[in-house]
Amino acid sequence: EAGVAQSPRYKIIEKRQSVAFWCNPISGHATLYWYQQILGQGPKLLIQFQNNGVVDDSQLPKDRFSAERLKGVDSTLKIQPAKLEDSAVYLCASSLDPPSGRADEQYFGPGTRLTVT
Amino acid sequence: DAKTTQPNSMESNEEEPVHLPCNHSTISGTDYIHWYRQLPSQGPEYVIHGLTSNVNNRMASLAIAEDRKSSTLILHRATLRDAAVYYCIGPINNDMRFGAGTRLTVKP
């Protein structure tokens, strides 16, 4: 079974530039998550999709971050404009079942390491 | 909120058992305890989860206290490949809130 795919693996941009990350979840997984992991910290949930609808985006900085999941499969996360503090690893994860009163096992991709200079 | 508390770091010798503790005194009665681990330069990977009774799988065992206020992840024989950050998570409304975790060092 193929895992969660993410691209690019690394990205370096200057502050105020824009950047986009792509995620392809495991086939058949209804729920998709984007996390931000700053060095030395645990992952922080940015947004959660169930199929192509947003379940939770309470921790997404909506003034600069946006995400979409067209057709309930692939997803993109965009930052515009980037700030120095956005330097982090951006992780995508997917899970088989939608939230059902208990959190389901999540499968994570390798992440995209973003450096903002 | 199901806040969890874990030691920042632990050390183990190779081939010895490791007991990783977690306190989650505010977890609700229906929330599962999840454990993930993150190897260097990789995304987190699922280890195990449980609700009330002890759980075993090929990776580890999970011992949950009777009052559910704490749990312990048990690696029966640590290997060098088990060196990672281990996260204990008590979901909040299905939101997996990762803390800083416990960094496990395995010495040969």
Side-chain angles (χ1 to χ4, degrees):
Chain A
E1 177 182 79
V4 176
Q6 291 188 248
S7 68
R9 292 295 311 276
Y10 305 92
K11 189 73 176 179
I12 301 174
I13 62 172
E14 295 182 352
K15 59 183 179 183
R16 292 187 289 273
Q17 287 187 323
S18 302
V19 65
F21 313 124
W22 173 82
C23 172
N24 188 320
I26 292 173
S27 177
H29 280 195
T31 309
L32 185 147
Y33 314 79
W34 282 102
Y35 290 85
Q36 178 193 59
Q37 185 170 26
I38 293 172
L39 186 65
Q41 299 180 18
K44 169 188 161 185
L45 180 69
L46 293 176
I47 189 167
Q48 178 181 339
F49 292 94
Q50 181 178 329
N51 296 310
N52 60 348
V54 176
V55 174
D56 181 2
D57 63 356
S58 58
Q59 300 189 93
L60 185 74
K62 298 180 185 65
D63 57 333
R64 298 184 300 107
F65 286 64
S66 64
E68 61 181 8
R69 189 183 185 197
L70 299 176
K71 301 181 181 179
V73 182
D74 293 6
S75 177
T76 56
L77 176 70
K78 297 179 182 178
I79 307 175
Q80 179 179 11
K83 293 185 176 181
L84 297 176
E85 59 260 37
D86 298 331
S87 293
V89 175
Y90 290 84
L91 295 159
C92 178
S94 68
S95 64
L96 182 61
D97 295 317
S100 57
R102 70 171 183 89
D104 294 295
E105 178 181 344
Q106 295 184 24
Y107 296 81
F108 284 79
T112 297
R113 182 176 298 277
L114 173 68
T115 301
V116 182
T117 63
Chain B
D1 290 355
K3 178 178 171 59
T4 60
T5 304
Q6 300 177 255
N8 290 332
S9 62
M10 291 184 65
E11 283 190 354
S12 171
N13 294 319
E14 196 176 11
E15 303 292 319
E16 291 185 354
V18 181
H19 291 231
L20 298 165
C22 178
N23 288 322
H24 34 78
S25 58
T26 60
I27 195 170
S28 76
T30 58
D31 280 332
Y32 282 70
I33 297 299
H34 294 248
W35 283 81
Y36 281 72
R37 72 179 186 180
Q38 189 169 23
L39 280 66
S41 301
Q42 296 187 25
E45 66 173 342
Y46 167 84
V47 177
I48 200 166
H49 73 278
L51 184 62
T52 56
S53 55
N54 296 345
V55 184
N56 301 292
N57 66 20
R58 64 176 179 80
M59 290 182 70
S61 295
L62 178 60
I64 301 173
E66 195 169 334
D67 62 8
R68 289 198 4 107
K69 293 185 177 181
S70 65
S71 62
T72 301
L73 180 71
I74 303 167
L75 307 179
H76 295 285
R77 290 179 63 201
T79 69
L80 297 178
R81 289 176 296 176
D82 291 323
V85 177
Y86 287 78
Y87 298 100
C88 165
I89 304 161
I92 303 169
N93 297 324
N94 296 312
D95 176 358
M96 302 285 274
R97 299 288 176 100
F98 287 80
T102 296
R103 180 173 298 278
L104 175 66
T105 301
V106 180
K107 297 181 290 184

